[in-house]
Amino acid sequence: MLALSRKTGESIMIGNNIEITILEVKGDQVKVGINAPKAVPVYRKELYLQIQEANKEAMTQDVTPESVEQLLGGR
């Protein structure tokens, strides 16, 4: 892990097209801005982990014609 110190208004570049900027520091909270291409998904880690868990659960479910029909709204 790379640990860097930054002040409000300073940025970090990841590759050529992702910029992370420190917007505000209040007590123990840091507000971060992220500029990234739309094709690059950006998630809070806790949400990312929930998405991964939901994907794992979906992969273990049996797929039947009835479940597909229900998913598509009974078409």
Side-chain angles (χ1 to χ4, degrees):
M1 176 188 299
L2 173 64
L4 300 172
S5 297
R6 300 279 72 201
K7 295 178 182 175
T8 301
E10 294 181 333
S11 296
I12 298 166
M13 294 298 299
I14 299 176
N16 294 321
N17 55 5
I18 300 173
E19 180 180 11
I20 299 173
T21 303
I22 305 304
L23 301 176
E24 182 179 5
V25 179
K26 269 190 193 174
D28 64 348
Q29 189 175 42
V30 178
K31 189 178 285 188
V32 177
I34 302 169
N35 279 325
K38 289 185 179 197
V40 176
V42 178
Y43 301 106
R44 295 186 328 257
K45 186 172 182 179
E46 63 273 14
L47 181 57
Y48 175 79
L49 294 174
Q50 287 177 358
I51 292 168
Q52 294 300 312
E53 186 60 34
N55 287 343
K56 285 180 191 175
E57 288 178 20
M59 288 176 54
T60 62
Q61 293 179 355
D62 290 333
V63 178
T64 63
E66 293 79 20
S67 65
V68 172
E69 186 174 328
Q70 183 179 11
L71 182 64
L72 295 175
R75 292 182 184 179

